[in-house]
Amino acid sequence: MHEFKYRGNELYCEGVGISGIAASVGTPFYLYSYKTLLDHYNKLRDAFRPVKPLICFSVKSNSNLAVLRALVKNGAGLDIVSGGELYRARRAGADPKKVVYAGVGKRRDEIEDAVRAGILLFNVESKEELEEIQRIAASLRKRVNVALRINPDVAPHTHAYVATGKGETKFGLDFETVYGIFASHKRYPNLNIRGVHIHIGSQILDAAPFEKAIKKVLGFVKNRRISVDYFNIGGGLGIIYSMEHPQTARSFAKRVLPLLKRSGLKIILEPGRFISGNSGVLVTKVLYNKTTPRKKFVIVDTGMSDLIRPSLYEAYHNIVPVRIDRDAQRHPEKVDVVGPICESGDFLAKDRPLPPVNKGDLLAVMGAGAYGFTMSSNYNSRPRAAEVMVIKGKFYVVRESENYGDLVRGEKVPKELK
Ligand SMILES: *Cc1c(COP(=O)(O)O)cnc(C)c1O
């Protein structure tokens, strides 16, 4: 469910007309619905209420300060994967005691910052990283809480690039190594190894792989008499982009809650896409129609530099007109919706039946709230799009679009070349 709905022939976000926002902000822009963000957060919180989990929103799915603030203000923690995300978490006013930090390549300075900030847990992904955190904790004379990220070797049915819980990926530690670390915990006098963590992948539609991974980890903890307080079951819950039938928060909880309750551990969840994905759309304008002997193209003013998911994962995003033309609706045609970037891979949709559109028409690319703006780039020297949020019937620009000056900021031409 989300708050992007038609009223008459016009697409609205929480009662605010999207054409009006476009007229004021200019295209392309990302548009987020505050209510949808919170609704999704609350759905998960309510479904898991029996274990009172800490829900740490995955910052990398959407790191805009207003998005983070909206969730933090309503009780969320944050799941970070870099020093930059720690900086954002703090700017959004997150309680460090609700911040968890994963990632296989944490740098020394990033670890130091997070230790000083007093985050809840590092999710450690290798033995060398554990040793590095021990050294840093010792030099700062601190005791640091860590969890070990386990790679449970399960195969979720999702795109290979977002499957992280299989044995051959770079993520997490195998069970034997984890056991070895617990057995030799005295080698880490400044660390409290307080938890185990998994995150098996993203856009997972079915509870089965989660259940399998959770069972594997809980079995391991029990059989090997591992003593921990926290079990972080990661993120990865899939959402509806087109015809998917993902498990709901409630049906997911029903499957895994009995296991989690029985464990007696404190539960952490790290959803990203589930909260932010359908809370955002990318609004774009039609620049041209182009017909070749083979195909019809609709060329729009946004592309892979703003939203790379179609190019990178062959992801499907629904594309809808901001203003419906009832006649056009009756005569859909198969088109490729493409952007201005000089790459054949720059497309938003392929062979998609769409009602005919005209130059200047607005389109909304749905489900763009997660891994949209955060994965955007300046490729082809295109300034990044604005981000806008609707809150209680008003819209706010929560990030201005970039300008040409932003594109060359920090660049210098050496005197040699003048
Ligand atoms: C990306 C990521 C998440 C969030 O994944 P979603 O599929 O967006 O829910 C959670 N935990 C970790 C460690 C991640 O890297």
Side-chain angles (χ1 to χ4, degrees):
M1 284 304 294
H2 56 72
E3 294 293 327
F4 298 92
K5 292 176 189 148
Y6 287 100
R7 281 193 188 173
N9 292 335
E10 268 272 334
L11 189 62
Y12 279 73
C13 173
E14 292 185 34
V16 182
I18 293 180
S19 328
I21 303 175
S24 155
V25 175
T27 55
F29 62 94
Y30 277 94
L31 179 62
Y32 307 130
S33 153
Y34 171 81
K35 180 166 187 302
T36 311
L37 271 176
L38 281 203
D39 283 352
H40 287 141
Y41 170 74
N42 287 333
K43 266 185 200 164
L44 210 51
R45 192 197 50 190
D46 294 347
F48 278 85
R49 200 178 286 284
V51 292
K52 291 207 186 80
L54 173 61
I55 299 180
C56 293
F57 173 66
S58 168
V59 173
K60 76 177 190 288
S61 75
N62 189 324
S63 13
N64 185 283
L65 288 180
V67 170
L68 302 183
R69 182 67 199 156
L71 292 164
V72 161
K73 215 178 148 182
N74 284 280
L78 298 176
D79 157 46
I80 62 168
V81 293
S82 72
E85 288 192 353
L86 176 62
Y87 176 77
R88 285 183 176 277
R90 305 186 80 180
R91 287 286 299 263
D95 175 358
K97 281 284 152 247
K98 290 185 178 178
V99 171
V100 295
Y101 184 2
V104 297
K106 305 179 187 77
R107 288 197 318 247
R108 183 178 181 92
D109 59 305
E110 293 177 309
I111 296 171
E112 278 174 4
D113 286 349
V115 168
R116 286 207 179 91
I119 64 165
L120 177 63
L121 288 167
F122 285 87
N123 292 322
V124 176
E125 307 227 16
S126 68
K127 224 167 146 176
E128 289 201 6
E129 181 194 331
L130 193 71
E131 287 158 9
E132 181 81 339
I133 299 174
Q134 162 58 33
R135 277 193 295 274
I136 291 167
S139 74
L140 295 174
R141 296 170 201 281
K142 300 251 191 206
R143 276 191 83 82
V144 173
N145 292 327
V146 304
L148 301 180
R149 177 168 181 178
I150 297 178
N151 184 324
D153 196 17
V154 297
H157 298 286
T158 188
H159 192 282
Y161 291 1
V162 295
T164 54
K166 288 200 277 189
E168 61 266 33
T169 66
K170 67 180 175 181
F171 299 101
L173 295 150
D174 62 277
F175 285 105
E176 281 317 305
T177 305
V178 170
Y179 180 69
I181 290 170
F182 276 104
S184 60
H185 69 94
K186 292 210 171 72
R187 288 176 48 197
Y188 312 100
N190 291 74
L191 305 185
N192 299 323
I193 308 178
R194 293 192 61 187
V196 284
H197 169 229
I198 50 173
H199 172 66
I200 59 174
S202 201
Q203 185 55 13
I204 302 170
L205 298 170
D206 159 29
F210 289 106
E211 207 178 337
K212 194 166 161 190
I214 289 169
K215 276 186 180 156
K216 262 185 155 178
V217 169
L218 290 175
F220 166 77
V221 166
K222 189 165 172 232
N223 295 336
R224 297 296 190 87
R225 298 167 191 278
I226 304 280
S227 157
V228 286
D229 312 321
Y230 290 99
F231 184 16
N232 180 338
I233 64 168
L237 290 172
I239 63 167
I240 300 173
Y241 286 103
S242 67
M243 309 292 268
E244 298 90 344
H245 296 283
Q247 74 277 43
T248 61
R250 192 176 299 183
S251 64
F252 175 58
K254 213 179 212 167
R255 289 277 288 275
V256 301
L257 264 180
L259 298 167
L260 300 177
K261 265 202 263 185
R262 216 176 304 141
S263 76
L265 298 171
K266 291 180 193 152
I267 303 302
I268 301 173
L269 277 75
E270 297 173 331
R273 190 189 313 268
F274 183 86
I275 292 174
S276 55
N278 279 320
S279 306
V281 303
L282 173 59
V283 180
T284 184
K285 191 167 70 186
V286 175
L287 295 177
Y288 304 108
N289 280 290
K290 173 173 174 173
T291 305
T292 72
R294 298 272 188 84
K295 280 205 164 220
K296 283 192 178 214
F297 295 96
V298 172
I299 302 170
V300 296
D301 68 356
T302 189
M304 66 186 290
S305 53
D306 291 315
L307 181 66
I308 202 175
R309 297 190 68 258
S311 310
L312 186 61
Y313 311 122
E314 295 178 316
Y316 181 100
H317 284 269
N318 203 6
I319 299 178
V320 301
V322 169
R323 187 167 282 150
I324 293 179
D325 175 334
R326 296 288 166 192
D327 275 344
Q329 285 301 102
R330 282 195 281 275
H331 306 100
E333 294 178 316
K334 265 195 186 165
V335 297
D336 282 14
V337 181
V338 301
I341 303 288
C342 300
E343 295 278 346
S344 301
D346 177 33
F347 59 87
L348 295 167
K350 283 206 156 165
D351 296 319
R352 182 76 59 86
L354 275 190
V357 290
N358 296 306
K359 189 172 169 52
D361 286 356
L362 296 173
L363 297 173
V365 183
M366 306 304 286
Y371 308 103
F373 185 89
T374 54
M375 291 181 99
S376 66
S377 75
N378 289 124
Y379 187 41
N380 279 206
S381 286
R382 305 191 71 85
R384 261 176 260 238
E387 294 175 283
V388 179
M389 186 185 282
V390 171
I391 310 173
K392 297 177 187 151
K394 277 177 80 175
F395 77 88
Y396 302 85
V397 174
V398 293
R399 191 183 205 270
E400 287 174 11
S401 59
E402 288 178 341
N403 58 38
Y404 291 148
D406 294 325
L407 292 178
V408 295
R409 190 159 44 125
E411 291 182 30
K412 291 188 185 92
V413 177
K415 226 173 26 214
E416 283 292 304
L417 299 177
K418 284 191 178 152

